[in-house]
Amino acid sequence: MPTPPTFDYDVAIIGAGPAGAACALGLRHSGLRVALLDKSQFPRDKVCGDAIPGHALKALRQLDPTFADSLWQLQPLDAVRQSKLVAPNGDSLVLQWKLPSFNCPRETFDDALLALVRTHAPATTILENTSLKGLQIELDHVRLQPTQGPEITCQLVIGCDGANSVVSRKLLPEPRLARAHHCVGVRAYFENIAGAESGTTEFFLTRDYLAGYCWLFPVGQGRYNVGLGMLAEVVAEHKVDLKETLQRLLTTHPALAGRFAEARQLGPTVGFGLPLGGGRVRPISGERFMLCGDAASLIDPLQGHGIDTAIQSGMLAAVQATACFTKQDFNAGHMASYDAQVAEKIGKKLAKSYRLMRFLSTKPWLVNAAVRLARVPGLKPWVQKAIG
Ligand SMILES: Cc1cc2nc3c(=O)[nH]c(=O)nc-3n(C[C@H](O)[C@H](O)[C@H](O)COP(=O)(O)OP(=O)(O)OC[C@H]3O[C@@H](n4cnc5c(N)ncnc54)[C@H](O)[C@@H]3O)c2cc1C
């Protein structure tokens, strides 16, 4: 199945975050010569809320149950089984999740995921400190230019290089940032926050900024990931300074202020972009390439999680890559079956979330009403189903 080594690798995966690592794990038995490039040296930080969705672990379990089991060992606290949602009017609602999940700083989680690749995909060459700056699709191969070192050649490239994906910008350029389909988020670590429970993630909605929320997630060792995310459209329209707004919320929001009286911030407040899925149909593949995870804009627009969809899309890309080598077909028409799989297995749910996020974003009264309604016996499952 793999081609004679005319080229350096059969497959080059750019980015070793959840999407890239899952893709490499998906290809571990393919017999293909895989390179996994990342600009960073692991362990590396990634700005995130650090909530590892249950669906991320479920997807990895499909590849090998021991993958999910070993990642669960990272979990220093109780599993997260419930979330507390505080409505703009201060009413709150506790939602129980069917799939348990856990919180873990990404520096630790992503390093553990990459360690699985090292152990279980020995045919994968991991190239850290290797930043991609350019690439060209040729008739029978792909040429990759790292910022340092010689050109790398391969037959297929898979862009898992996150929200500022070089692969996406070079191969599917967009004239400008689509602010209706991007969020911006900031987060900081804190300790000594009063009243937080280890198995509960907390979400706070404010009537001023409904296309987003403030979160408080316990991540173990007495530390909390606290952040604020918002639709880029709203940030630009209202000229919101997210770092300043987060600090203000922590000292003035009725459900938060008292709890931060003795809190201490650990390190700086840092921000990053969240490319949202579900709002528009955009190709995520073409001749000899595919995009996964944030590079393919697959973040859930309502809840802001994307580790699960990154892992799911990385696994789908691995299946498509194997099919490409079996059929020796790397044409855009054949690659489009990857788009169809992602649309079917991930995109439909994201589209529903996007519609709901847009619908609720101008209606604080409706969010308040939904939280109140969920307290009526029998109605909570309906509200929970709508949120996802
Ligand atoms: C503030 C914030 C809070 C969030 N909270 C959550 C949450 O709690 N739960 C959740 O599920 N999701 C959350 N997300 C979304 C989540 O972080 C992403 O969806 C997820 O990291 C996507 O994984 P990925 O592998 O596609 O990209 P990434 O995790 O970004 O990995 C991309 C990798 O590519 C590498 N790379 C980038 N450019 C290059 C290059 N040119 N050459 C080589 N390598 C390159 C990077 O170093 C990185 O390792 C949050 C995002 C933000 C910004």
Side-chain angles (χ1 to χ4, degrees):
M1 202 172 45
T3 43
T6 317
F7 305 113
D8 297 325
Y9 298 99
D10 297 313
V11 181
I13 303 169
I14 316 300
C23 187
L25 287 171
L27 288 170
R28 71 198 183 287
H29 298 314
S30 65
L32 297 168
R33 295 171 307 128
V34 177
L36 178 58
L37 281 64
D38 201 288
K39 66 178 181 186
S40 301
Q41 172 78 48
F42 282 64
R44 60 98 180 92
D45 190 19
K46 157 76 178 84
V47 179
C48 187
D50 299 336
I52 313 299
H55 282 285
L57 301 158
K58 188 178 172 186
L60 287 170
R61 193 169 285 283
Q62 284 164 11
L63 280 182
D64 185 330
T66 65
F67 293 169
D69 292 344
S70 72
L71 293 169
W72 268 106
Q73 306 297 319
L74 300 170
Q75 153 67 350
L77 301 162
D78 301 333
V80 174
R81 292 186 187 276
Q82 60 181 31
S83 297
K84 184 176 167 196
L85 186 69
V86 181
N89 67 357
D91 281 354
S92 66
L93 164 71
V94 174
L95 300 167
Q96 271 81 27
W97 302 115
K98 277 194 203 132
L99 271 185
S101 60
F102 66 89
N103 302 335
C104 176
R106 290 288 298 277
E107 187 169 344
T108 307
F109 181 79
D110 288 16
D111 193 43
L113 203 50
L114 189 60
L116 290 177
V117 179
R118 285 188 221 283
T119 318
H120 297 278
T124 301
T125 306
I126 299 173
L127 301 169
E128 291 166 275
N129 300 310
T130 307
S131 181
L132 183 79
K133 70 166 187 230
L135 76 168
Q136 290 85 37
I137 307 287
E138 305 291 356
L139 203 58
D140 63 347
H141 70 288
V142 183
R143 294 194 290 128
L144 306 172
Q145 289 91 35
T147 41
Q148 284 173 339
E151 188 169 87
I152 296 169
T153 56
C154 62
Q155 295 226 65
L156 180 67
V157 63
I158 307 182
C160 302
D161 47 344
N164 303 320
S165 168
V166 170
V167 181
S168 172
R169 275 189 280 132
K170 297 283 178 195
L171 300 179
L172 291 170
E174 284 200 277
R176 62 195 171 94
L177 183 80
R179 288 190 176 132
H181 305 284
H182 274 79
C183 260
V184 196
V186 294
R187 73 100 169 96
Y189 290 109
F190 282 83
E191 64 180 6
N192 227 18
I193 299 174
E197 289 173 42
S198 75
T200 307
T201 51
E202 297 181 72
F203 298 84
F204 303 86
L205 297 159
T206 69
R207 64 172 301 120
D208 292 339
Y209 307 118
L210 268 176
Y213 59 80
C214 173
W215 68 82
L216 194 162
F217 297 163
V219 293
Q221 297 169 330
R223 289 179 301 154
Y224 300 86
N225 181 317
V226 180
L228 175 68
M230 215 177 276
L231 197 63
E233 203 177 59
V234 176
V235 172
E237 194 183 332
H238 298 273
K239 298 194 172 35
V240 182
D241 177 335
L242 278 178
K243 291 183 184 176
E244 185 274 324
T245 307
L246 175 63
Q247 292 301 334
R248 188 160 38 80
L249 278 176
L250 300 184
T251 48
T252 59
H253 191 289
L256 286 165
R259 296 173 62 186
F260 277 78
E262 303 290 321
R264 198 165 72 87
Q265 184 168 339
L266 309 163
T269 307
V270 282
F272 205 66
L274 294 89
L276 306 179
R280 61 199 174 138
V281 180
R282 215 181 131 229
I284 51 169
S285 72
E287 183 152 348
R288 293 190 182 275
F289 77 92
M290 287 177 270
L291 302 174
C292 307
D294 282 9
S297 299
L298 293 177
I299 292 185
D300 183 287
L302 195 62
Q303 297 183 20
H305 54 81
I307 300 170
D308 47 352
T309 51
I311 288 175
Q312 289 159 354
S313 57
M315 287 165 55
L316 290 172
V319 172
Q320 177 66 28
T322 310
C324 288
F325 282 89
T326 305
K327 293 188 179 163
Q328 282 300 305
D329 186 350
F330 302 89
N331 283 323
H334 186 229
M335 305 305 298
S337 40
Y338 167 68
D339 295 47
Q341 284 291 311
V342 171
E344 175 63 27
K345 304 214 159 103
I346 303 172
K348 276 186 184 168
K349 189 168 173 297
L350 295 183
K352 193 180 129 206
S353 284
Y354 188 82
R355 285 194 298 273
L356 190 58
M357 182 272 285
R358 297 283 343 187
F359 181 66
L360 294 176
S361 65
T362 51
K363 302 174 186 67
W365 58 270
L366 191 56
V367 180
N368 293 334
V371 166
R372 195 161 305 145
L373 214 63
R375 291 173 169 179
V376 176
L379 291 185
K380 194 165 162 182
W382 291 91
V383 174
Q384 181 142 358
K385 196 164 173 240
I387 295 172

